[in-house]
Every structure is written in C-alpha cells, then in structure tokens.
Amino acid sequence: MIKYILPVILLTISNVFMTFAWYGHLKYKSAILWLVILASWGIAFFEYCFQVPANRIGHEVYSAAQLKTIQEIITLIVFSVFSVTYLKEQFKWNYLVGFCFIVLAAFFIFKKW
C-alpha cells in the first residue's frame, strides 16, 4: 500500500516547491530579475529532490501517463491553495469547472478498459 501512497506524498511536496519556484516571486515584482531566477533555481533543486524519487518509486506501480496525471491534479490543488492564500487571488467558478474537466480526464486515464 505504501508504494501507491509514497509517490503521491513525494509529488505533493515536490509541487509545493515547484509552485514557489515558479510563482512565489510574483509577490516581489520589484526584485531584480536575475536574482529572482537564481532563487527560483535554488527552490527548484528541492523540487527535483522529491520529484525524481516520486517518479522512480511511482513507476513501479503506475504508468508514466498515470504519474503525469497524478502530478497535474496535485499541481492544480497546490496551486489553487497557493494562489488564494499566498498571492491573495480570487478562486473563480470557471477555474473549478476547468479543473473538474481535468479530474474527469484522470478517470479515463486510470479506468481499466
């Protein structure tokens, strides 16, 4: 059972780092661009420290397409929380509808046909 859950946990941690690396600097628009790039690279290092093992471990029980789908859904959840709490942006109804379509896509990817 742990081999199914561990990749999801690692991908979640990875996505928290990824979200801060990609979008955290938006709160500091006056910061020097090259410094922001270096900081983002530094944060991304930790993203990869969790993402690579997550995919290595996860590929023992999930296909690559399934791992990518899991990662995308986790990304949407983490990003939604991040954008509302950190960036103070409004979560709109159409975002939810679009995310639901992506979750529906996951159904088709994981369904045993």
Side-chain angles (χ1 to χ4, degrees):
M1 189 60 160
I2 190 74
K3 63 184 175 181
Y4 291 96
I5 296 170
L6 185 58
V8 174
I9 293 168
L10 292 173
L11 284 172
T12 301
I13 296 168
S14 168
N15 268 276
V16 170
F17 283 109
M18 178 195 75
T19 301
F20 274 95
W22 284 26
Y23 302 103
H25 60 87
L26 295 178
K27 204 169 181 181
Y28 305 98
K29 293 182 181 179
S30 63
I32 300 167
L33 185 58
W34 68 266
L35 191 57
V36 170
I37 292 169
L38 288 178
S40 292
W41 279 354
I43 295 167
F45 169 78
F46 295 101
E47 171 204 348
Y48 277 79
C49 287
F50 290 96
Q51 177 266 335
V52 171
N55 286 323
R56 284 271 180 113
I57 295 165
H59 200 247
E60 293 177 15
V61 292
Y62 298 112
S63 70
Q66 289 173 326
L67 280 169
K68 182 60 178 171
T69 303
I70 292 166
Q71 185 267 328
E72 290 298 335
I73 291 171
I74 291 169
T75 296
L76 291 174
I77 293 167
V78 168
F79 180 78
S80 295
V81 171
F82 174 86
S83 67
V84 170
T85 59
Y86 186 78
L87 295 177
K88 306 296 185 208
E89 293 186 355
Q90 183 181 3
F91 190 82
K92 299 178 181 178
W93 71 269
N94 56 317
Y95 300 169
L96 180 61
V97 171
F99 293 170
C100 286
F101 280 119
I102 294 170
V103 172
L104 182 62
F107 165 78
F108 287 101
I109 290 170
F110 281 90
K111 174 86 170 121
K112 304 267 191 247
W113 298 99

